[in-house]
Amino acid sequence: MPRASGSSLHAWFRRSLGKGGVAQANAAAAVAQAVVGRHEPGMPGVVSGHFTYGVHELLEGRPYRYVVLLRDPVQRVLSLFRYIRSLPTHDLHAELTRPDMTIARFYADKVPGSGPRNAMVAQLAGVLGTRVTLGQEHLEQATAHLFDDRTLFGLAEHPASLLQRLAEILSVQIAPELPQVNRLGNAQAWGGSPEDIAAISANNQLDIELYRRATRSG
């Protein structure tokens, strides 16, 4: 999940398995290539990236597990907006750096189904990037995928139990702590007013419910 400590999790895998133990891929075809092309024990055992649920269908019947970190949806999206403002190459950078831009105004200009809206549900439901307007059925799909036996998930705010489970599965004797990477500096501390928080909350109700379900399960 973007802005949910995914880069920190990638760094944790590399510390645990070594540089050669982790491949990085985002596109479904690249993920499949990294897995299907693995013929030797020394090849990467983990593929790390922001790919959408459903990539396992390309793995030619090989066993798999998804590993997911969820983050408080409002704080995740606020962090995403700040990250975009710090990244000139992002396609929303120019819009979000306009002098008069606020988060509430950004959402007011976006049609349903576009913009940073319920991305955690979209990613877990397998429809991220399709511009489909999300609904209750996608929340239920995302929930089912999250609680599937082949998915391991934890909360970015409290990752210790997930890391311990991963260490056991990967035969890592001592699980390292989750590294802190990609932190934004004070220069990116934009947004966060009550109006901003209200706008994020109003436009991410499905993600908020998914996070509530995940938190309650723990």
Side-chain angles (χ1 to χ4, degrees):
M1 296 293 173
R3 304 313 302 173
S5 298
S7 295
S8 293
L9 185 59
H10 175 79
W12 184 90
F13 279 126
R14 290 189 60 166
R15 287 188 182 182
S16 300
L17 300 176
K19 183 178 179 179
V22 185
Q24 191 164 19
N26 290 315
V31 174
Q33 182 179 8
V35 174
V36 174
R38 183 178 183 269
H39 300 295
E40 302 175 5
M43 296 294 285
V46 171
V47 181
S48 173
H50 294 320
F51 40 84
T52 301
Y53 190 94
V55 69
H56 63 274
E57 296 174 358
L58 302 177
L59 302 186
E60 300 182 359
R62 286 168 170 77
Y64 67 90
R65 293 210 181 181
Y66 287 95
V67 179
V68 180
L69 276 175
L70 300 179
R71 181 180 178 184
D72 173 86
V74 174
Q75 292 305 312
R76 190 197 75 81
V77 174
L78 181 59
S79 177
L80 177 62
F81 280 125
R82 291 171 173 172
Y83 175 73
I84 292 171
R85 282 172 55 89
S86 72
L87 191 65
T89 56
H90 196 282
D91 58 357
L92 292 176
H93 174 80
E95 185 174 4
L96 283 172
T97 51
R98 281 170 28 198
D100 62 341
M101 181 55 66
T102 66
I103 292 174
R105 183 171 292 122
F106 172 84
Y107 277 119
D109 292 341
K110 298 297 177 185
V111 298
S114 64
R117 183 183 275 114
N118 294 312
M120 293 199 300
V121 164
Q123 192 161 356
L124 279 166
V127 297
L128 187 68
T130 64
R131 289 191 170 272
V132 66
T133 299
L134 298 175
Q136 186 68 27
E137 68 275 19
H138 298 104
L139 172 61
E140 300 309 327
Q141 289 172 355
T143 301
H145 293 159
L146 186 68
F147 290 119
D148 187 275
D149 290 341
R150 289 159 294 189
T151 301
L152 302 173
F153 75 89
L155 305 180
E157 298 86 352
H158 306 288
S161 60
L162 173 63
L163 299 182
Q164 185 58 47
R165 291 173 68 193
L166 292 175
E168 294 169 359
I169 291 171
L170 297 170
S171 299
V172 175
Q173 296 300 314
I174 301 177
E177 293 185 359
L178 191 70
Q180 297 299 313
V181 301
N182 277 358
R183 283 189 170 184
L184 296 176
N186 292 333
Q188 285 79 44
W190 170 84
S193 69
E195 293 78 13
D196 290 336
I197 300 303
I200 294 173
S201 299
N203 285 280
N204 286 276
Q205 286 297 302
L206 296 178
D207 271 9
I208 289 171
E209 173 58 19
L210 178 70
Y211 185 80
R212 186 190 69 81
R213 294 178 182 184
T215 303
R216 186 175 60 186
S217 74

